[in-house]
Amino acid sequence: MEEDIDAIMSDDDEINDNNKNKNNKMNDDNNDGNMEEEEEEEEEEEEEEEESPEDNVEEYMDDFDTAELPDELKGLKACLSCSLVKTYTQFLDQGCDNCEYLKMKDDTRKVKSCTTSYFEGLIGLVEPQNSWVAKWQRIVQMKPGMYAISVSGTLLDDEEINEDDDLIDDM
């Protein structure tokens, strides 16, 4: 009878050992699966980081036809027609990016009469079509750039500009 008990005990030990081996194997399989999932998640995160527009601002901004931003804060002027803000020399060198019909490029009379230094606030506009501010300011169709919130002054037509020049010449 003792032999029967020893045989049963040894069979139980074998069953327990087999169960432990199976459990260990299952745990190893689960750990391998978890490690693979973690590695995949890390790779996806790295890919997302590589593709973010913040890292490649120049590439991101190449998609937009932008107006040149002011290169200094002193002497800023705003276009009386579209509110684009640049320096006097930028308006003189390039004209207004939105109002080419004003023909300000290389014309000091036009730059002086079509821009003003009396404006309030600045808006940095990047994506006009997606911006509620651009809709509010009615500048959705303008190029991305720096804009004034409000502008003081009136835009003169060509005849008035010439009359002003005659008055200045007479003085």
Side-chain angles (χ1 to χ4, degrees):
M1 193 151 147
E2 283 182 22
E3 292 173 357
D4 290 336
I5 292 176
D6 287 339
I8 291 172
M9 294 293 279
S10 68
D11 288 342
D12 284 345
D13 288 341
E14 285 180 27
I15 291 172
N16 286 337
D17 287 342
N18 286 339
N19 286 340
K20 284 181 185 176
N21 288 338
K22 287 180 183 177
N23 286 339
N24 286 340
K25 187 173 183 180
M26 287 174 61
N27 285 338
D28 288 343
D29 290 344
N30 285 340
N31 286 340
D32 289 343
N34 289 341
M35 291 177 77
E36 288 175 7
E37 289 175 14
E38 288 175 8
E39 288 174 3
E40 288 175 10
E41 288 175 7
E42 287 176 8
E43 289 175 7
E44 288 175 7
E45 288 174 6
E46 288 175 6
E47 288 175 7
E48 287 175 7
E49 289 175 7
E50 290 173 4
E51 296 174 3
S52 69
E54 291 84 18
D55 293 337
N56 289 324
V57 174
E58 290 176 10
E59 278 184 34
Y60 182 71
M61 293 306 292
D62 284 344
D63 295 340
F64 300 103
D65 181 22
T66 61
E68 186 171 346
L69 297 175
D71 53 7
E72 58 184 77
L73 293 176
K74 290 185 178 180
L76 293 178
K77 293 189 144 301
C79 175
L80 288 168
S81 179
C82 70
S83 303
L84 180 68
V85 175
K86 292 182 172 186
T87 62
Y88 174 81
T89 55
Q90 285 175 313
F91 275 116
L92 189 60
D93 292 343
Q94 301 145 8
C96 181
D97 296 271
N98 298 310
C99 309
E100 293 180 12
Y101 64 91
L102 292 176
K103 300 176 184 167
M104 283 192 258
K105 186 175 180 179
D106 299 323
D107 190 343
T108 57
R109 285 182 307 120
K110 291 271 186 145
V111 172
K112 287 180 182 178
S113 63
C114 297
T115 63
T116 182
S117 56
Y118 298 106
F119 63 89
E120 292 183 24
L122 290 172
I123 299 169
L125 189 61
V126 178
E127 294 182 20
Q129 288 74 24
N130 299 328
S131 169
W132 69 267
V133 175
K135 291 174 187 166
W136 184 264
Q137 291 292 120
R138 296 185 178 111
I139 55 176
V140 173
Q141 300 301 322
M142 305 301 174
K143 293 183 179 181
M146 190 70 65
Y147 290 85
I149 293 174
S150 67
V151 177
S152 299
T154 56
L155 187 61
L156 304 174
D157 62 5
D158 285 338
E159 292 173 14
E160 292 173 322
I161 293 170
N162 291 333
E163 288 174 14
D164 283 347
D165 285 344
D166 292 340
L167 290 173
I168 292 170
D169 291 339
D170 291 341
M171 293 183 166

